[in-house]
Amino acid sequence: MQPEFGKYLQQLRLDKGLSIRQLANLSKVSHSYLSQVENGVRGIPSPDVLKKLARPLGITYEELMQAAGYIEEIIDHGGYAEVLYRDGAGNLVDSVQKTKEMQDIDSKWANTAYRVAKELSPADRQQIDEYARLILEDRLKKNKK
Amino acid sequence: MKYNPRYYRLDIIPEHRLAIIDIRLKGFIDEYKIKKWPVDAVQLLKKIKKRRLIDLEYAFVPGCSTDFDAEASYYPVLNYYYIAINKNMVLRYPFRFSSDRRLNFTLAHEFGHIFLDHLIIPKELKTSSQKQIEEEEANEFAGRLLMPERLILTSNFVSQKEVAKSFNVSDQALWKRLNHLKRLDLLKAPVVNVCENCGNNQISPAAEFCPICGEWIVNKNKGVMVTYYNDGYEVNERSKVLQCPVCENEEMWDRGEFCRICGKVLINSCTYCETLAAGNSRYCELCGSETTFYQAKYLSDWQTAKARIEGREAQEDEWASLGAEISWDEIDIPPDDADEAPF
């Protein structure tokens, strides 16, 4: 099982055209550890490590967790679902929340935290968003440069 | 009464979510290398931004009502998090009063929302009771982050105010944390003598100086966070070791002061007034001079010992160098002109 997962990771990396060092830089996981995992010297990485690897490898965290052999359990919360992951010994290792239908969340400008006692007033909301917009514009300009 | 059920909210959080809080918090503390308490959430905020594991921005937003302290949002399209801090609610930084320290808990609470993934699902898809649970989860995350159980339970409860100050939280936040731990009794626990400088609590009633750090402790013995210096040598009633600390020789003449094999000192006493000292004493409790064991370097200095006891090495703080790179101009803190706010 373990050597296969290493090979699987290696294949994902090669498909993305990344070297081990490039992946290490992108994911902030050490390159020596990555090469040990790929060669099956180390066991299945912890959820923390898989979480860091998912984005640079162009795959979702959930898919990686599945491939790594963590066991899924789904809890229905009505509007959304929560997936719990357990290791072979049955210990809870992580949870991921998902919308049930593929909601068009991208059309929303932001998902915000909330105060149970007081919802934010529209004026405050607007002020907060205005600042977020300014920072974003600034950042996009910097990215272009 | 160990807790007040009226303000006890922990029972609304499902069992598996409490486990997730622990898992995520442990990951958070490891990732951001939090090794010293109290935690300053403003510095931590800068650290999180700098580390770039998640894409995070923050701003001190002026012109808002006083209905909120800070607010975290997530922008799915760009996959970035944003914490808006209400400039009107930041009273003083660095914090001075209990009311200033509210911000510390609020920021930690917002980190909770972010690192517990509360912002991934739009709130429209959640019921009000689910939202309420998430608020409590974020509070619990913040409470455990700023006031770890291990440190709270070993603290010297001089007063609610002093303990809250030591953990960099408001008096109310401390009270709520104790209520969730069901340990409100600690607020009335007997106060012991703890050195305010090094946290040592092994101080004899007649002591004028702390035997660990050598500070003059008369009127300075009401420290809060306790460190148990367990690195002493086993000594008998005449402060003599049972085994030579250097060569491990156990054969010694009953009245001998030096090891017959290696010639090193065997009795811990003051190098000035010759008062006998405990096996971990670095300084004389009566005159503050160094002890024989400290001069012979059997005992390390207290800072090194403290770092080792708390499981961290003094020099390996890689964030210390990073902290120097962050310019204070980056962060827009309101001037220190707010009125002195009573708790």
Side-chain angles (χ1 to χ4, degrees), chain B residues 309-322:
Chain B
I309 290 162
E310 289 169 0
R312 57 185 166 85
E313 298 300 324
Q315 70 279 19
E316 57 122 15
D317 195 352
E318 72 172 76
W319 287 108
S321 54
L322 177 65

Side-chain angles (χ1 to χ4, degrees), chain B residues 6 33 48-49 59 89 98 159 177 247 249 278 333 339:
Chain B
R6 217 181 125 196
K33 302 200 163 44
I48 296 170
K49 180 179 166 182
M89 298 300 281
S98 171
S159 69
R177 176 76 177 128
C247 70
N249 162 43
I333 295 283
D339 295 329

Side-chain angles (χ1 to χ4, degrees), chain A residues 26-28 47-48 51-52 55 61 75-86 91-101 103-121 123-125 127-136 139-140 142-143, chain B residues 14-17 19-20 23-24 26-27 30-31 51-80 82 84 86 106 109-110 113 116-128 130-132 134-135 137:
Chain A
L26 289 170
S27 63
K28 298 192 166 80
D48 285 344
K51 196 170 282 174
K52 291 179 185 173
R55 223 202 304 179
Y61 174 56
I75 301 179
D76 189 343
H77 285 293
Y80 65 103
E82 184 178 9
V83 186
L84 300 186
Y85 291 96
R86 294 181 193 275
N91 302 315
L92 186 64
V93 293
D94 207 4
S95 111
V96 169
Q97 298 181 6
K98 282 178 173 169
T99 45
K100 280 207 285 191
E101 307 94 53
Q103 283 261 348
D104 190 12
I105 48 172
D106 281 4
S107 65
K108 299 188 82 64
W109 169 236
N111 299 332
T112 55
Y114 25 74
R115 303 278 157 267
V116 167
K118 269 179 192 154
E119 283 284 337
L120 288 180
S121 68
D124 286 348
R125 177 82 271 148
Q127 186 75 356
I128 291 173
D129 279 347
E130 205 49 53
Y131 258 67
R133 218 179 289 266
L134 284 175
I135 289 177
L136 263 183
R139 165 190 282 242
L140 290 173
K142 272 183 199 157
N143 283 354
Chain B
E15 201 66 37
H16 79 274
R17 291 301 300 175
I20 291 293
I23 292 168
R24 291 290 169 85
K26 189 182 172 297
D30 288 350
E31 194 60 62
R51 185 110 167 91
R52 296 193 64 93
L53 270 176
I54 58 164
D55 213 352
L56 175 89
E57 289 286 353
Y58 58 86
F60 290 82
V61 182
C64 291
S65 72
T66 51
D67 288 350
F68 75 103
D69 293 334
E71 178 86 0
S73 332
Y74 172 61
Y75 295 78
V77 193
L78 301 134
N79 193 20
Y80 109 104
Y82 166 63
N86 188 346
T106 306
H109 171 103
E110 302 304 326
H113 279 313
L116 294 170
D117 287 342
H118 292 160
L119 303 173
I120 302 298
I121 308 287
K123 62 177 171 182
E124 288 75 10
L125 296 175
K126 292 171 185 165
T127 64
S128 67
Q130 282 165 347
K131 290 185 216 171
Q132 218 156 26
E134 293 196 340
E135 286 303 311
E137 284 183 13

Side-chain angles (χ1 to χ4, degrees), chain B residues 170-185:
Chain B
S170 70
D171 303 3
Q172 296 93 327
L174 172 70
W175 190 91
K176 283 181 194 158
R177 176 76 177 128
L178 290 175
N179 196 40
H180 276 184
L181 288 168
K182 298 194 176 175
R183 288 306 303 269
L184 286 179
D185 59 307

